[in-house]
Amino acid sequence: MAKALFHPAWIPEPVDPSVERLKRVRVVAGAVAAFGVYTFVQHKFDTTEILGNILTAAVVLLFITPLTVGVMLFVWRRAGTVRQLRRPLLGSLKLLVLFIGMAVAAVLLMQLATAVGGVALVPLGFAALWLIGVVAYGAVQLSGNYFGSAAVHRCLPPLLAAVTTWLMAVPDLVTGDLHGLSLTMGAVFILGAPVTVTAIAALEMNRLRRHHGIRLRAHPATLPVPRPTVSPSPGLHLPSQGTPFPHGNPYGPGPYGG
């Protein structure tokens, strides 16, 4: 169910196995940001803190993702129009709202099950755990394309991942909240995840630029069609060199090209 919901057919397939490996590393770093070094250092799993982090992350995603995409649309305005990207943008927004809605529902249901207790704890707790499982698997599905934003521009997922992790760290940087850790471990807790995710995102975008000619500042409609670098399996029929994507340029108008 989670795969059907969060990895629809209009999301483009990966074109570079090295970039995919970088994405997996970025997912691990993002998981560290979500659960926090605090959980591992203090040797305890604070459910209340984890649920609070999920709600905080949902709020950050809801506001910062459209804002970041809006900034990039402003940057791209000289080479193309927003109308050309309307379909993938709407699809990405729907995925974002769906994911955040399910995450918030899972957290609220878990809190309700804990507060009610008694006989209602079992069905409510089961439903909450099921939702959390769907959200967790959905997060894995969305980690590479970042809510389908890869259908808009291949460089958007690493950019959004870096921006989100930094904004998650800003409140702690401003308040100096080290979560009860020492100065050294507090710095690792606050800065470790955003620095790591940003470095991996930079490597990812650099490889897209060098090997596929995909630049962040270029309007998606002006980008070249990326050619898959994965070796074809025996018996697999690939399109001719002139048409590596038979359905059109994935960066052209609409999520599938023309």
Side-chain angles (χ1 to χ4, degrees):
M1 175 181 175
K3 186 173 183 179
L5 287 174
F6 298 116
H7 193 79
W10 54 264
I11 295 179
E13 294 299 321
V15 295
D16 193 324
S18 297
V19 172
E20 288 305 296
R21 287 192 291 270
L22 287 173
K23 287 179 180 179
R24 286 194 288 269
V25 176
R26 173 159 55 82
V27 172
V28 174
V32 173
F35 291 101
V37 177
Y38 179 84
T39 302
F40 300 95
V41 173
Q42 298 296 333
H43 304 290
K44 64 180 181 179
F45 189 86
D46 191 338
T47 305
T48 303
E49 182 176 351
I50 295 301
L51 294 178
N53 287 343
I54 293 176
L55 288 177
T56 302
V59 173
V60 171
L61 286 173
L62 183 61
F63 286 97
I64 197 56
T65 301
L67 179 61
T68 305
V69 174
V71 171
M72 292 312 304
L73 290 175
F74 180 78
V75 172
W76 297 332
R77 74 192 188 283
R78 295 181 179 178
T81 64
V82 177
R83 183 182 297 273
Q84 294 172 284
L85 309 174
R86 182 175 57 185
R87 291 177 63 191
L89 284 172
L90 289 177
S92 181
L93 180 60
K94 290 177 183 177
L95 278 183
L96 175 65
V97 173
L98 175 63
F99 180 80
I100 291 176
M102 294 189 69
V104 172
V107 171
L108 295 179
L109 197 57
M110 179 64 77
Q111 292 175 341
L112 178 62
T114 304
V116 173
V119 179
L121 177 62
V122 176
L124 289 176
F126 178 81
L129 290 175
W130 181 80
L131 265 181
I132 289 174
V134 172
V135 169
Y137 191 79
V140 174
Q141 292 293 318
L142 293 170
S143 59
N145 57 71
Y146 214 91
F147 304 103
S149 59
V152 181
H153 195 298
R154 295 273 182 174
C155 287
L156 272 182
L159 173 67
L160 290 169
V163 171
T164 301
T165 52
W166 274 107
L167 284 182
M168 290 290 291
V170 164
D172 291 338
L173 289 172
V174 173
T175 61
D177 182 8
L178 301 181
H179 300 268
L181 302 174
S182 64
L183 179 61
T184 302
M185 291 307 303
V188 172
F189 173 67
I190 296 174
L191 297 177
V195 169
T196 303
V197 171
T198 301
I200 296 170
L203 287 173
E204 189 176 332
M205 287 190 285
N206 182 60
R207 185 168 180 85
L208 288 171
R209 178 181 59 82
R210 289 190 298 110
H211 293 271
H212 302 282
I214 299 173
R215 299 175 181 273
L216 177 63
R217 294 178 62 87
H219 189 282
T222 67
L223 293 172
V225 177
R227 297 179 181 274
T229 58
V230 181
S231 300
S233 301
L236 177 64
H237 175 71
L238 292 179
S240 63
Q241 292 296 319
T243 58
F245 287 89
H247 298 294
N249 183 353
Y251 299 101
Y256 318 104

